[in-house]
Amino acid sequence: MTPTIERGGAVQARVAWTVCSCLLALLTMAPPARSQSARRAAPLPVVSYTLRVDSADTTGFTMEMRVRSAPDTFRLAMVRHPEYDDRFWRTMSDLRVEGRDGPGSATRVDSALWSISARGGQATIRWRVGVPAEGEVRASWRPFLRRTGALVGGPHSFLYIVGAERAPANVALELPSSWEIATGLTPTTDPRRFRADDVEMLVDSPILTGNLRSWWFAVDDTPHRVAYWPLPNATPFDTALFLRAVSGIAREAIAMFGGAPYHDYTFLVQDGAYGGLEHANSVTGGAESRRLAAGMANDLENLTHEYFHTWNLVRIHPVGRGGPPTYVPNGATRGLWFSEGLTIFYTDLLARRAGAPTRDSTRRAHVERLLARYFFDPGDTAIAPERASLAEYAGPGTVGDYDPSPHTQGEVIGTMLDLLIREATGDRRTIDDLMRVMMQRFSGDSGFTSRGVERAVADVCGCNATPFFARWVRGAGAIDVNRYLRAIGYRADVTHVPAMTAEGAPVPDFRLFASSDSPAEPLHLILTDPRSIWGRAGLHTNDQLVALNGQPMREAGDFRRTLRALRIGDTARVAVLRRGQRVVATVPIGGFDRVVVRLVELPDATPQQLARRARWATGR
């Protein structure tokens, strides 16, 4: 338990009296007898790491792990992240073990698992981590190494002792002397030494280092740092506006939940990168300086999304997520629609509340664009959100030729639940109250299920939420959005129109993708709509792609370039392997329809509905 420190002489005297009383009581008490289980419990190993970076070598960095008080034989593993598996073990090399009395041994048991032998349970293990090749734009959560900075640490750097996930660890960084450090690890008195309470904190605290630009702000006395790594040719942008937006979003989130769930927080932001990843007290995010200079709404949206996960996913986690780190596949859950969808819902709301730049000028326009995406993707209405959540990280083809998005489904559900709660409570409560209840009930070890969310909604709105969840969360089908939009005097006008370019030409139907697990492996097709020209021609997700119009397809880039060269009226001959048989599909290239949604005002809207709409439009 963390003590609360109060200020004031009387309080200090009270604390001192309490401490003295406790010490006196301890001195006069007989020592308790140790239980048999306590006597049998083995001490946790003592673990220390040193991470070394040489800026002259941008191909990788080296790791050293010193272990004491371990068994003579123990297992080391590399954590597998629950959201993605970049198979970081592929970039590892030169694993060596030195025991107390000479060389130890390392035997690879599995791709991310090693058996280590060292007499006396003392060993120094060294390995090298290669930096993966970067694409046109780098993913912000993957390690990188340049002469002016790096992203290291995290699950792609550290090995851990299986069975000792609760063991604390010390981390020393040997970096170029001019490089600054930003990380969620606990600092020590040495600016280049840090501490992790356990393996989860160790691998969940990546390290951004280099020639950083840093800004600080506080919300309710909780310190926040924004650390930005710029490219050498970075485009100047309005840093004051950027910091004002980030701090405003943090302030709104903390105010909504009634406090921050962390002691401090670090935004690890990188130029030349995209995407982001949430952590317990930090976020890794990409924000290209050229984009920030042109308009920062998209990058702020990305950072806000990952930041809100600090509550909704890291703390309020669904069954199937959470628990100790592991090297085996994990993270499958039916609750992703809530964890991702409600997070995206609040991404827009927090920005509006903070007065930060948003992608859509009004909330009405934002919901119109959301519903257009929802009704355009047939998977979002054909596959139940619970099932779509479970399939999200299970690989292509899990739900056939559909590609539902629990992110989109969940944001639509959140939008409608907010309206349901407002209407049922006469505007006394909103979805903010639901999030606070979820934080109270599910921020511990137990995760939530959709039934748990349903009960929380019912308790907040004082209504029967079962029909909503049975039909729109556990069941499939297009949500009757007009039933809930009526609460703010709107209805959705949904139309289908031919997709056209800005010049008025039809857009070819290119809703077909190809991917592979690695460059050495064959490409497989991914369809998003069985009604597309590709689905109607008989192609299916997971067909192994062989050739397109007679040209062999070995890389995804080859496929994209060949596909984009086709025009309406052309014919594509796609050769695939399916269950070992060669199949050739002839596909006439045609256009497709897109969805347009407009929120139309109801002519019979009541004054109460109009007043509710006015509050809703502000994000409050």
Side-chain angles (χ1 to χ4, degrees):
M1 183 175 69
T2 303
T4 300
I5 300 175
E6 302 180 45
R7 297 179 180 177
V11 173
Q12 291 174 357
R14 185 167 64 251
V15 171
W17 181 88
T18 303
V19 171
C20 291
S21 299
C22 291
L23 286 173
L24 181 61
L26 288 172
L27 289 171
T28 57
M29 286 173 58
R34 295 179 62 195
S35 66
Q36 288 187 354
S37 60
R39 288 196 298 269
R40 288 196 302 265
L44 290 172
V46 179
V47 182
S48 298
Y49 298 89
T50 299
L51 189 156
R52 297 183 177 92
V53 172
D54 180 357
S55 61
D57 179 8
T58 58
T59 63
F61 52 93
T62 60
M63 297 291 304
E64 181 178 290
M65 178 182 185
R66 295 172 300 284
V67 178
R68 303 292 182 269
S69 302
D72 287 352
T73 300
F74 55 92
R75 294 186 300 165
L76 288 181
M78 180 169 273
V79 168
R80 176 166 177 165
H81 196 276
E83 288 182 33
Y84 65 94
D85 182 17
D86 280 333
R87 297 187 288 178
F88 294 124
W89 45 263
R90 294 180 299 175
T91 71
M92 285 182 54
S93 60
D94 302 331
L95 183 68
R96 304 184 308 278
V97 181
E98 289 291 333
R100 182 178 59 184
D101 303 321
S105 67
T107 303
R108 196 162 199 161
V109 179
D110 203 344
S111 57
L113 183 66
W114 294 260
S115 177
I116 306 297
S117 294
R119 290 184 57 188
Q122 297 187 25
T124 300
I125 304 106
R126 297 181 178 89
W127 64 94
R128 176 179 170 80
V129 178
V131 175
E134 299 179 13
E136 296 178 3
V137 183
R138 178 176 48 81
S140 65
W141 60 88
R142 294 195 181 106
F144 79 90
L145 180 53
R146 303 277 187 90
R147 292 185 180 275
T148 60
L151 181 73
V152 292
H156 46 260
S157 300
F158 295 105
L159 299 177
Y160 73 98
I161 300 175
V162 178
E165 289 81 3
R166 294 186 296 107
N170 296 307
V171 179
L173 303 179
E174 295 185 4
L175 309 168
S177 59
S178 63
W179 283 13
E180 297 180 46
I181 300 167
T183 180
L185 292 170
T186 302
T188 66
T189 55
D190 186 328
R192 302 218 160 190
R193 291 181 180 271
F194 299 84
R195 184 170 176 81
D197 294 338
D198 51 29
V199 172
E200 183 176 10
M201 181 179 182
L202 178 72
V203 300
D204 194 41
S205 303
I207 302 161
L208 182 64
T209 179
N211 301 333
L212 307 179
R213 300 188 65 186
S214 293
W215 304 273
W216 287 263
F217 63 88
V219 179
D220 293 341
D221 295 328
T222 301
H224 296 71
R225 179 186 181 186
V226 180
Y228 186 74
W229 177 77
L231 289 170
N233 60 344
T235 304
F237 61 91
D238 189 340
T239 57
L241 174 61
F242 183 65
L243 183 63
R244 187 162 60 247
V246 172
S247 61
I249 288 164
R251 184 170 54 253
E252 291 293 339
I254 291 171
M256 191 192 88
F257 282 102
Y262 47 77
H263 295 295
D264 55 74
Y265 197 88
T266 306
F267 294 85
L268 307 171
V269 191
Q270 308 153 45
D271 199 354
Y274 72 90
L277 187 64
E278 72 284 345
H279 311 288
N281 67 338
S282 65
V283 58
T284 311
E288 296 184 70
S289 57
R290 62 180 180 85
R291 287 168 51 111
L292 291 173
M296 56 186 65
N298 288 352
D299 290 304
L300 284 171
E301 184 178 278
N302 173 57
L303 284 176
T304 305
H305 176 113
E306 305 303 340
Y307 174 66
F308 196 77
H309 273 321
T310 305
W311 285 269
N312 191 30
L313 185 58
V314 176
R315 271 82 180 184
I316 309 170
H317 61 87
V319 169
R321 292 291 296 268
T326 178
Y327 59 91
V328 298
N330 65 106
T333 174
R334 296 181 182 274
L336 202 64
W337 66 268
F338 186 92
S339 299
E340 291 290 355
L342 272 293
T343 296
I344 298 174
F345 173 85
Y346 272 100
T347 295
D348 180 69
L349 256 62
L350 292 180
R352 293 189 188 281
R353 293 174 182 179
T358 56
R359 188 188 307 193
D360 301 298
S361 58
T362 65
R363 193 173 184 195
R364 177 179 182 174
H366 177 80
V367 172
E368 287 174 340
R369 186 165 60 86
L370 165 65
L371 294 179
R373 290 200 313 274
Y374 175 71
F375 288 116
F376 174 73
D377 187 341
D380 288 345
T381 54
I383 307 297
E386 276 198 342
R387 187 181 174 204
S389 297
L390 198 61
E392 180 71 359
Y393 303 127
T398 306
V399 289
D401 294 329
Y402 291 107
D403 186 26
S405 169
H407 302 62
T408 299
Q409 292 173 316
E411 187 180 3
V412 173
I413 290 171
T415 302
M416 302 307 142
L417 283 177
D418 183 37
L419 298 177
L420 181 153
I421 292 170
R422 289 172 186 265
E423 185 176 36
T425 63
D427 299 308
R428 293 186 305 276
R429 290 187 167 188
T430 71
I431 201 167
D432 287 0
D433 296 281
L434 171 63
M435 296 307 299
R436 286 189 284 268
V437 169
M438 292 293 292
M439 185 70 176
Q440 292 166 2
R441 295 182 181 179
F442 300 108
S443 60
D445 294 334
S446 62
F448 69 82
T449 64
S450 294
R451 295 281 186 184
V453 182
E454 177 186 324
R455 287 190 290 271
V457 171
D459 291 342
V460 169
C461 72
C463 61
N464 181 10
T466 298
F468 183 101
F469 279 78
R471 188 165 185 186
W472 312 127
V473 176
R474 292 183 287 274
I479 296 175
D480 182 7
V481 297
N482 288 333
R483 153 70 182 83
Y484 305 101
L485 288 171
R486 171 170 284 278
I488 51 175
Y490 281 141
R491 67 173 175 82
D493 182 12
V494 182
T495 58
H496 295 75
V497 299
M500 310 291 284
T501 66
E503 293 75 25
V507 176
D509 186 351
F510 290 149
R511 291 175 292 170
L512 180 72
F513 304 91
S515 68
S516 64
D517 290 335
S518 72
E521 298 180 26
L523 294 172
H524 288 83
L525 295 179
I526 300 175
L527 275 71
T528 61
D529 187 346
R531 303 169 305 181
S532 68
I533 59 174
W534 313 96
R536 296 200 303 269
L539 295 171
H540 297 287
T541 293
N542 282 334
D543 283 345
Q544 181 180 325
L545 180 61
V546 177
L548 175 57
N549 283 346
Q551 299 181 42
M553 295 288 111
R554 297 185 177 88
E555 296 182 358
D558 296 335
F559 176 74
R560 286 195 300 270
R561 285 187 291 272
T562 306
L563 185 68
R564 299 295 174 182
L566 297 171
R567 298 291 180 264
I568 288 181
D570 292 344
T571 298
R573 290 178 57 82
V574 185
V576 300
L577 287 178
R578 183 184 302 153
R579 295 186 291 276
Q581 300 294 316
R582 184 182 176 93
V583 176
V584 178
T586 301
V587 187
I589 303 300
F592 65 99
D593 286 346
R594 65 184 181 92
V595 174
V596 176
V597 175
R598 294 287 179 263
L599 296 188
V600 179
E601 297 185 6
L602 296 177
D604 59 346
T606 67
Q608 183 181 20
Q609 289 171 335
L610 295 177
R612 183 180 297 130
R613 181 199 300 172
R615 289 189 294 272
W616 173 89
T618 67
R620 297 289 181 181

